[in-house]
Amino acid sequence: MQKPALQDRLRHHILVLDGAMGTMIQQANLTAEDFGGEALDGCNEMLVLTRPDVIAGIHEAYLAAGADIIETNTFGATSVVLAEYDIADKAREINLAAVRLAKEACEKFSTPEKPRYVAGSIGPTTKTLSVTGGITFDELVASYREQATALIEGGVDCLLVETSQDT
């Protein structure tokens, strides 16, 4: 279905964004195996690969509740964060899979009267320039560029930068 650009839709409608992905994941009572093993336990972003059904179900629940925009499950999907789980090399794959899941959910719920949109979630890393240190500006730029590029290539309608300490 062809849908109007998000910017055009915002000119004429108030749009509702989904809620907290992390809270919904916690309510699913997942085990370490759901994340891909003990070493990946708690890496919510990995669920787009290991339990796409759970993430798709969360997207669909928000869309069924009336959300116009859903966020990808990529809040911590930068290589900087994923490196803590020794999966920094999966950043692109995770971001692309997350976009695909969100787009598929939107396609199920979109109508000509109520098109649905995907926001590519970009959260803070676990390292900051001003608070924790341990990273350079150039390293942050590279990590965010990799994530944003994958989200855009995957086809998000917009990027949503969340909870950033180092503006």
Side-chain angles (χ1 to χ4, degrees), residues 9-50:
R9 187 82 175 153
L10 283 167
R11 285 190 186 98
H12 305 288
H13 296 85
I14 294 171
L15 301 182
V16 176
L17 185 64
D18 66 2
M21 176 63 76
T23 301
M24 294 292 279
I25 289 171
Q26 287 176 343
Q27 291 175 0
N29 295 315
L30 301 174
T31 66
E33 289 73 38
D34 291 307
F35 292 90
E38 200 65 42
L40 298 172
D41 191 11
C43 182
N44 290 346
E45 294 72 22
M46 191 64 184
L47 294 170
V48 302
L49 301 178
T50 60

mmCIF file of all heavy atoms in Angstrom, residues 9-50:
data_model
loop_
_atom_site.group_PDB
_atom_site.id
_atom_site.type_symbol
_atom_site.label_atom_id
_atom_site.label_comp_id
_atom_site.label_asym_id
_atom_site.label_seq_id
_atom_site.Cartn_x
_atom_site.Cartn_y
_atom_site.Cartn_z
ATOM 1 N N ARG A 9 1.461 13.519 6.605
ATOM 2 C CA ARG A 9 0.430 13.030 7.531
ATOM 3 C C ARG A 9 0.393 13.881 8.808
ATOM 4 O O ARG A 9 -0.679 14.179 9.337
ATOM 5 C CB ARG A 9 0.707 11.559 7.859
ATOM 6 C CG ARG A 9 -0.359 10.887 8.666
ATOM 7 C CD ARG A 9 -1.490 10.419 7.794
ATOM 8 N NE ARG A 9 -2.429 9.667 8.639
ATOM 9 C CZ ARG A 9 -3.704 9.552 8.390
ATOM 10 N NH1 ARG A 9 -4.222 10.077 7.305
ATOM 11 N NH2 ARG A 9 -4.482 8.877 9.192
ATOM 12 N N LEU A 10 1.569 14.279 9.294
ATOM 13 C CA LEU A 10 1.648 15.096 10.511
ATOM 14 C C LEU A 10 1.050 16.488 10.327
ATOM 15 O O LEU A 10 0.630 17.116 11.300
ATOM 16 C CB LEU A 10 3.104 15.219 10.968
ATOM 17 C CG LEU A 10 3.667 14.001 11.679
ATOM 18 C CD1 LEU A 10 5.191 14.101 11.797
ATOM 19 C CD2 LEU A 10 3.024 13.831 13.044
ATOM 20 N N ARG A 11 1.002 16.968 9.110
ATOM 21 C CA ARG A 11 0.416 18.295 8.852
ATOM 22 C C ARG A 11 -1.082 18.318 9.137
ATOM 23 O O ARG A 11 -1.644 19.363 9.411
ATOM 24 C CB ARG A 11 0.663 18.712 7.403
ATOM 25 C CG ARG A 11 2.058 19.148 7.130
ATOM 26 C CD ARG A 11 2.184 19.778 5.725
ATOM 27 N NE ARG A 11 3.570 20.052 5.461
ATOM 28 C CZ ARG A 11 4.380 19.250 4.755
ATOM 29 N NH1 ARG A 11 3.908 18.144 4.219
ATOM 30 N NH2 ARG A 11 5.634 19.566 4.571
ATOM 31 N N HIS A 12 -1.719 17.146 9.068
ATOM 32 C CA HIS A 12 -3.176 17.096 9.174
ATOM 33 C C HIS A 12 -3.710 16.230 10.306
ATOM 34 O O HIS A 12 -4.914 16.217 10.553
ATOM 35 C CB HIS A 12 -3.760 16.591 7.848
ATOM 36 C CG HIS A 12 -3.316 17.390 6.663
ATOM 37 N ND1 HIS A 12 -3.763 18.659 6.408
ATOM 38 C CD2 HIS A 12 -2.418 17.100 5.687
ATOM 39 C CE1 HIS A 12 -3.188 19.127 5.312
ATOM 40 N NE2 HIS A 12 -2.352 18.201 4.859
ATOM 41 N N HIS A 13 -2.823 15.494 10.983
ATOM 42 C CA HIS A 13 -3.279 14.573 12.022
ATOM 43 C C HIS A 13 -2.316 14.570 13.203
ATOM 44 O O HIS A 13 -1.113 14.729 13.023
ATOM 45 C CB HIS A 13 -3.368 13.137 11.474
ATOM 46 C CG HIS A 13 -4.362 12.973 10.394
ATOM 47 N ND1 HIS A 13 -4.078 13.239 9.080
ATOM 48 C CD2 HIS A 13 -5.649 12.566 10.423
ATOM 49 C CE1 HIS A 13 -5.150 13.003 8.349
ATOM 50 N NE2 HIS A 13 -6.118 12.598 9.138
ATOM 51 N N ILE A 14 -2.861 14.329 14.365
ATOM 52 C CA ILE A 14 -2.037 14.021 15.530
ATOM 53 C C ILE A 14 -1.781 12.527 15.472
ATOM 54 O O ILE A 14 -2.723 11.731 15.356
ATOM 55 C CB ILE A 14 -2.755 14.392 16.841
ATOM 56 C CG1 ILE A 14 -2.939 15.905 16.910
ATOM 57 C CG2 ILE A 14 -1.984 13.864 18.053
ATOM 58 C CD1 ILE A 14 -3.818 16.366 18.051
ATOM 59 N N LEU A 15 -0.519 12.144 15.527
ATOM 60 C CA LEU A 15 -0.172 10.733 15.437
ATOM 61 C C LEU A 15 0.300 10.217 16.793
ATOM 62 O O LEU A 15 0.976 10.925 17.532
ATOM 63 C CB LEU A 15 0.911 10.514 14.381
ATOM 64 C CG LEU A 15 0.549 10.966 12.969
ATOM 65 C CD1 LEU A 15 1.693 10.650 12.001
ATOM 66 C CD2 LEU A 15 -0.742 10.332 12.482
ATOM 67 N N VAL A 16 -0.060 8.987 17.098
ATOM 68 C CA VAL A 16 0.265 8.359 18.373
ATOM 69 C C VAL A 16 1.443 7.411 18.169
ATOM 70 O O VAL A 16 1.417 6.560 17.273
ATOM 71 C CB VAL A 16 -0.954 7.587 18.925
ATOM 72 C CG1 VAL A 16 -0.598 6.840 20.203
ATOM 73 C CG2 VAL A 16 -2.115 8.551 19.163
ATOM 74 N N LEU A 17 2.451 7.564 19.014
ATOM 75 C CA LEU A 17 3.627 6.704 19.001
ATOM 76 C C LEU A 17 3.417 5.565 19.992
ATOM 77 O O LEU A 17 2.756 5.740 21.020
ATOM 78 C CB LEU A 17 4.850 7.544 19.406
ATOM 79 C CG LEU A 17 6.227 6.918 19.360
ATOM 80 C CD1 LEU A 17 6.614 6.550 17.941
ATOM 81 C CD2 LEU A 17 7.248 7.900 19.926
ATOM 82 N N ASP A 18 3.998 4.424 19.707
ATOM 83 C CA ASP A 18 3.847 3.274 20.601
ATOM 84 C C ASP A 18 4.449 3.548 21.977
ATOM 85 O O ASP A 18 4.988 4.622 22.232
ATOM 86 C CB ASP A 18 4.444 2.010 19.976
ATOM 87 C CG ASP A 18 5.963 2.065 19.803
ATOM 88 O OD1 ASP A 18 6.604 3.061 20.188
ATOM 89 O OD2 ASP A 18 6.517 1.098 19.265
ATOM 90 N N GLY A 19 4.393 2.553 22.827
ATOM 91 C CA GLY A 19 4.900 2.688 24.188
ATOM 92 C C GLY A 19 6.255 2.042 24.373
ATOM 93 O O GLY A 19 7.022 1.904 23.425
ATOM 94 N N ALA A 20 6.516 1.596 25.564
ATOM 95 C CA ALA A 20 7.842 1.106 25.950
ATOM 96 C C ALA A 20 8.081 -0.326 25.494
ATOM 97 O O ALA A 20 7.421 -1.262 25.951
ATOM 98 C CB ALA A 20 7.988 1.198 27.461
ATOM 99 N N MET A 21 9.026 -0.506 24.599
ATOM 100 C CA MET A 21 9.390 -1.843 24.114
ATOM 101 C C MET A 21 9.990 -2.679 25.243
ATOM 102 O O MET A 21 9.632 -3.838 25.422
ATOM 103 C CB MET A 21 10.381 -1.720 22.949
ATOM 104 C CG MET A 21 10.905 -3.029 22.418
ATOM 105 S SD MET A 21 9.691 -4.136 21.696
ATOM 106 C CE MET A 21 9.413 -3.345 20.115
ATOM 107 N N GLY A 22 10.907 -2.105 26.003
ATOM 108 C CA GLY A 22 11.581 -2.845 27.074
ATOM 109 C C GLY A 22 10.617 -3.388 28.109
ATOM 110 O O GLY A 22 10.756 -4.532 28.566
ATOM 111 N N THR A 23 9.635 -2.603 28.472
ATOM 112 C CA THR A 23 8.636 -3.043 29.447
ATOM 113 C C THR A 23 7.830 -4.218 28.901
ATOM 114 O O THR A 23 7.569 -5.189 29.613
ATOM 115 C CB THR A 23 7.696 -1.874 29.803
ATOM 116 O OG1 THR A 23 8.476 -0.803 30.334
ATOM 117 C CG2 THR A 23 6.657 -2.289 30.821
ATOM 118 N N MET A 24 7.476 -4.124 27.641
ATOM 119 C CA MET A 24 6.712 -5.220 27.030
ATOM 120 C C MET A 24 7.562 -6.494 26.944
ATOM 121 O O MET A 24 7.053 -7.589 27.153
ATOM 122 C CB MET A 24 6.219 -4.807 25.646
ATOM 123 C CG MET A 24 5.200 -3.688 25.675
ATOM 124 S SD MET A 24 3.618 -4.171 26.389
ATOM 125 C CE MET A 24 2.877 -4.987 24.988
ATOM 126 N N ILE A 25 8.835 -6.341 26.654
ATOM 127 C CA ILE A 25 9.720 -7.510 26.606
ATOM 128 C C ILE A 25 9.816 -8.146 27.990
ATOM 129 O O ILE A 25 9.750 -9.363 28.131
ATOM 130 C CB ILE A 25 11.105 -7.125 26.056
ATOM 131 C CG1 ILE A 25 11.001 -6.820 24.557
ATOM 132 C CG2 ILE A 25 12.131 -8.228 26.320
ATOM 133 C CD1 ILE A 25 12.252 -6.225 23.945
ATOM 134 N N GLN A 26 9.944 -7.328 29.028
ATOM 135 C CA GLN A 26 10.023 -7.865 30.391
ATOM 136 C C GLN A 26 8.761 -8.639 30.746
ATOM 137 O O GLN A 26 8.825 -9.666 31.426
ATOM 138 C CB GLN A 26 10.243 -6.740 31.398
ATOM 139 C CG GLN A 26 11.642 -6.176 31.351
ATOM 140 C CD GLN A 26 11.823 -5.001 32.297
ATOM 141 O OE1 GLN A 26 10.859 -4.399 32.773
ATOM 142 N NE2 GLN A 26 13.067 -4.665 32.568
ATOM 143 N N GLN A 27 7.622 -8.176 30.293
ATOM 144 C CA GLN A 27 6.363 -8.858 30.596
ATOM 145 C C GLN A 27 6.232 -10.198 29.882
ATOM 146 O O GLN A 27 5.387 -11.010 30.235
ATOM 147 C CB GLN A 27 5.175 -7.954 30.243
ATOM 148 C CG GLN A 27 5.059 -6.758 31.153
ATOM 149 C CD GLN A 27 3.955 -5.799 30.727
ATOM 150 O OE1 GLN A 27 3.265 -6.020 29.747
ATOM 151 N NE2 GLN A 27 3.797 -4.732 31.490
ATOM 152 N N ALA A 28 7.072 -10.437 28.885
ATOM 153 C CA ALA A 28 7.027 -11.706 28.146
ATOM 154 C C ALA A 28 7.689 -12.844 28.916
ATOM 155 O O ALA A 28 7.602 -14.006 28.490
ATOM 156 C CB ALA A 28 7.689 -11.538 26.777
ATOM 157 N N ASN A 29 8.347 -12.539 30.048
ATOM 158 C CA ASN A 29 8.980 -13.560 30.890
ATOM 159 C C ASN A 29 9.885 -14.501 30.097
ATOM 160 O O ASN A 29 9.749 -15.722 30.161
ATOM 161 C CB ASN A 29 7.923 -14.359 31.655
ATOM 162 C CG ASN A 29 7.169 -13.494 32.631
ATOM 163 O OD1 ASN A 29 7.754 -12.706 33.359
ATOM 164 N ND2 ASN A 29 5.850 -13.620 32.629
ATOM 165 N N LEU A 30 10.801 -13.916 29.366
ATOM 166 C CA LEU A 30 11.705 -14.695 28.528
ATOM 167 C C LEU A 30 12.840 -15.284 29.351
ATOM 168 O O LEU A 30 13.179 -14.788 30.416
ATOM 169 C CB LEU A 30 12.262 -13.805 27.414
ATOM 170 C CG LEU A 30 11.210 -13.185 26.503
ATOM 171 C CD1 LEU A 30 11.850 -12.203 25.537
ATOM 172 C CD2 LEU A 30 10.438 -14.259 25.752
ATOM 173 N N THR A 31 13.442 -16.334 28.820
ATOM 174 C CA THR A 31 14.587 -16.976 29.461
ATOM 175 C C THR A 31 15.857 -16.628 28.691
ATOM 176 O O THR A 31 15.798 -16.088 27.587
ATOM 177 C CB THR A 31 14.409 -18.505 29.476
ATOM 178 O OG1 THR A 31 14.452 -18.966 28.121
ATOM 179 C CG2 THR A 31 13.099 -18.909 30.139
ATOM 180 N N ALA A 32 16.981 -16.993 29.248
ATOM 181 C CA ALA A 32 18.264 -16.750 28.578
ATOM 182 C C ALA A 32 18.278 -17.394 27.197
ATOM 183 O O ALA A 32 18.823 -16.820 26.244
ATOM 184 C CB ALA A 32 19.418 -17.286 29.430
ATOM 185 N N GLU A 33 17.679 -18.549 27.060
ATOM 186 C CA GLU A 33 17.645 -19.239 25.770
ATOM 187 C C GLU A 33 16.917 -18.413 24.713
ATOM 188 O O GLU A 33 17.254 -18.477 23.529
ATOM 189 C CB GLU A 33 16.994 -20.617 25.912
ATOM 190 C CG GLU A 33 17.850 -21.621 26.669
ATOM 191 C CD GLU A 33 17.917 -21.337 28.179
ATOM 192 O OE1 GLU A 33 16.901 -20.923 28.777
ATOM 193 O OE2 GLU A 33 19.000 -21.530 28.746
ATOM 194 N N ASP A 34 15.893 -17.657 25.132
ATOM 195 C CA ASP A 34 15.165 -16.815 24.188
ATOM 196 C C ASP A 34 16.068 -15.760 23.557
ATOM 197 O O ASP A 34 15.861 -15.345 22.422
ATOM 198 C CB ASP A 34 13.977 -16.125 24.868
ATOM 199 C CG ASP A 34 12.887 -17.103 25.252
ATOM 200 O OD1 ASP A 34 12.453 -17.864 24.368
ATOM 201 O OD2 ASP A 34 12.479 -17.106 26.426
ATOM 202 N N PHE A 35 17.060 -15.321 24.312
ATOM 203 C CA PHE A 35 17.984 -14.290 23.827
ATOM 204 C C PHE A 35 19.144 -14.884 23.027
ATOM 205 O O PHE A 35 19.929 -14.148 22.438
ATOM 206 C CB PHE A 35 18.547 -13.491 25.005
ATOM 207 C CG PHE A 35 17.521 -12.633 25.689
ATOM 208 C CD1 PHE A 35 16.780 -13.130 26.752
ATOM 209 C CD2 PHE A 35 17.285 -11.334 25.270
ATOM 210 C CE1 PHE A 35 15.829 -12.351 27.386
ATOM 211 C CE2 PHE A 35 16.333 -10.540 25.898
ATOM 212 C CZ PHE A 35 15.600 -11.054 26.955
ATOM 213 N N GLY A 36 19.287 -16.194 23.054
ATOM 214 C CA GLY A 36 20.383 -16.842 22.345
ATOM 215 C C GLY A 36 21.425 -17.424 23.265
ATOM 216 O O GLY A 36 22.533 -17.741 22.838
ATOM 217 N N GLY A 37 21.105 -17.544 24.550
ATOM 218 C CA GLY A 37 22.030 -18.125 25.513
ATOM 219 C C GLY A 37 22.360 -17.168 26.643
ATOM 220 O O GLY A 37 22.039 -15.986 26.606
ATOM 221 N N GLU A 38 22.999 -17.718 27.657
ATOM 222 C CA GLU A 38 23.322 -16.962 28.870
ATOM 223 C C GLU A 38 24.118 -15.687 28.577
ATOM 224 O O GLU A 38 23.880 -14.641 29.178
ATOM 225 C CB GLU A 38 24.103 -17.867 29.833
ATOM 226 C CG GLU A 38 24.090 -17.402 31.262
ATOM 227 C CD GLU A 38 22.702 -17.418 31.902
ATOM 228 O OE1 GLU A 38 21.948 -18.383 31.693
ATOM 229 O OE2 GLU A 38 22.373 -16.452 32.609
ATOM 230 N N ALA A 39 25.063 -15.762 27.649
ATOM 231 C CA ALA A 39 25.914 -14.611 27.347
ATOM 232 C C ALA A 39 25.131 -13.456 26.720
ATOM 233 O O ALA A 39 25.566 -12.305 26.791
ATOM 234 C CB ALA A 39 27.050 -15.019 26.411
ATOM 235 N N LEU A 40 23.969 -13.745 26.139
ATOM 236 C CA LEU A 40 23.166 -12.709 25.480
ATOM 237 C C LEU A 40 21.918 -12.335 26.279
ATOM 238 O O LEU A 40 21.127 -11.501 25.830
ATOM 239 C CB LEU A 40 22.763 -13.180 24.083
ATOM 240 C CG LEU A 40 23.924 -13.443 23.134
ATOM 241 C CD1 LEU A 40 23.427 -14.089 21.850
ATOM 242 C CD2 LEU A 40 24.681 -12.168 22.846
ATOM 243 N N ASP A 41 21.744 -12.947 27.442
ATOM 244 C CA ASP A 41 20.576 -12.683 28.277
ATOM 245 C C ASP A 41 20.476 -11.192 28.559
ATOM 246 O O ASP A 41 21.432 -10.571 29.010
ATOM 247 C CB ASP A 41 20.673 -13.470 29.583
ATOM 248 C CG ASP A 41 19.383 -13.456 30.378
ATOM 249 O OD1 ASP A 41 18.342 -13.019 29.847
ATOM 250 O OD2 ASP A 41 19.419 -13.901 31.550
ATOM 251 N N GLY A 42 19.329 -10.615 28.258
ATOM 252 C CA GLY A 42 19.110 -9.195 28.495
ATOM 253 C C GLY A 42 19.407 -8.310 27.297
ATOM 254 O O GLY A 42 19.129 -7.114 27.335
ATOM 255 N N CYS A 43 19.935 -8.870 26.247
ATOM 256 C CA CYS A 43 20.190 -8.099 25.023
ATOM 257 C C CYS A 43 18.896 -8.090 24.214
ATOM 258 O O CYS A 43 18.680 -8.911 23.325
ATOM 259 C CB CYS A 43 21.348 -8.697 24.220
ATOM 260 S SG CYS A 43 21.743 -7.741 22.741
ATOM 261 N N ASN A 44 18.024 -7.141 24.552
ATOM 262 C CA ASN A 44 16.701 -7.087 23.930
ATOM 263 C C ASN A 44 16.744 -7.014 22.418
ATOM 264 O O ASN A 44 15.877 -7.552 21.733
ATOM 265 C CB ASN A 44 15.913 -5.888 24.462
ATOM 266 C CG ASN A 44 15.494 -6.064 25.903
ATOM 267 O OD1 ASN A 44 15.557 -7.160 26.454
ATOM 268 N ND2 ASN A 44 15.057 -4.991 26.519
ATOM 269 N N GLU A 45 17.759 -6.357 21.898
ATOM 270 C CA GLU A 45 17.866 -6.189 20.452
ATOM 271 C C GLU A 45 18.087 -7.523 19.741
ATOM 272 O O GLU A 45 17.670 -7.692 18.596
ATOM 273 C CB GLU A 45 18.988 -5.206 20.118
ATOM 274 C CG GLU A 45 18.710 -3.786 20.588
ATOM 275 C CD GLU A 45 18.785 -3.584 22.099
ATOM 276 O OE1 GLU A 45 19.436 -4.392 22.797
ATOM 277 O OE2 GLU A 45 18.183 -2.614 22.596
ATOM 278 N N MET A 46 18.713 -8.479 20.397
ATOM 279 C CA MET A 46 18.977 -9.790 19.811
ATOM 280 C C MET A 46 17.685 -10.545 19.528
ATOM 281 O O MET A 46 17.647 -11.427 18.661
ATOM 282 C CB MET A 46 19.892 -10.590 20.743
ATOM 283 C CG MET A 46 20.452 -11.834 20.153
ATOM 284 S SD MET A 46 21.524 -11.487 18.758
ATOM 285 C CE MET A 46 21.895 -13.151 18.257
ATOM 286 N N LEU A 47 16.613 -10.178 20.210
ATOM 287 C CA LEU A 47 15.334 -10.868 20.035
ATOM 288 C C LEU A 47 14.781 -10.739 18.620
ATOM 289 O O LEU A 47 13.986 -11.575 18.196
ATOM 290 C CB LEU A 47 14.311 -10.363 21.053
ATOM 291 C CG LEU A 47 14.629 -10.685 22.516
ATOM 292 C CD1 LEU A 47 13.690 -9.934 23.441
ATOM 293 C CD2 LEU A 47 14.587 -12.185 22.769
ATOM 294 N N VAL A 48 15.201 -9.730 17.866
ATOM 295 C CA VAL A 48 14.723 -9.626 16.481
ATOM 296 C C VAL A 48 15.243 -10.791 15.653
ATOM 297 O O VAL A 48 14.654 -11.127 14.620
ATOM 298 C CB VAL A 48 15.069 -8.272 15.814
ATOM 299 C CG1 VAL A 48 14.481 -7.107 16.605
ATOM 300 C CG2 VAL A 48 16.554 -8.104 15.602
ATOM 301 N N LEU A 49 16.322 -11.421 16.106
ATOM 302 C CA LEU A 49 16.880 -12.588 15.417
ATOM 303 C C LEU A 49 16.443 -13.897 16.060
ATOM 304 O O LEU A 49 16.161 -14.874 15.364
ATOM 305 C CB LEU A 49 18.412 -12.514 15.401
ATOM 306 C CG LEU A 49 19.034 -11.284 14.733
ATOM 307 C CD1 LEU A 49 20.550 -11.337 14.836
ATOM 308 C CD2 LEU A 49 18.584 -11.139 13.291
ATOM 309 N N THR A 50 16.412 -13.934 17.390
ATOM 310 C CA THR A 50 16.135 -15.186 18.092
ATOM 311 C C THR A 50 14.657 -15.419 18.369
ATOM 312 O O THR A 50 14.210 -16.570 18.422
ATOM 313 C CB THR A 50 16.896 -15.236 19.432
ATOM 314 O OG1 THR A 50 16.481 -14.145 20.249
ATOM 315 C CG2 THR A 50 18.406 -15.195 19.196
#
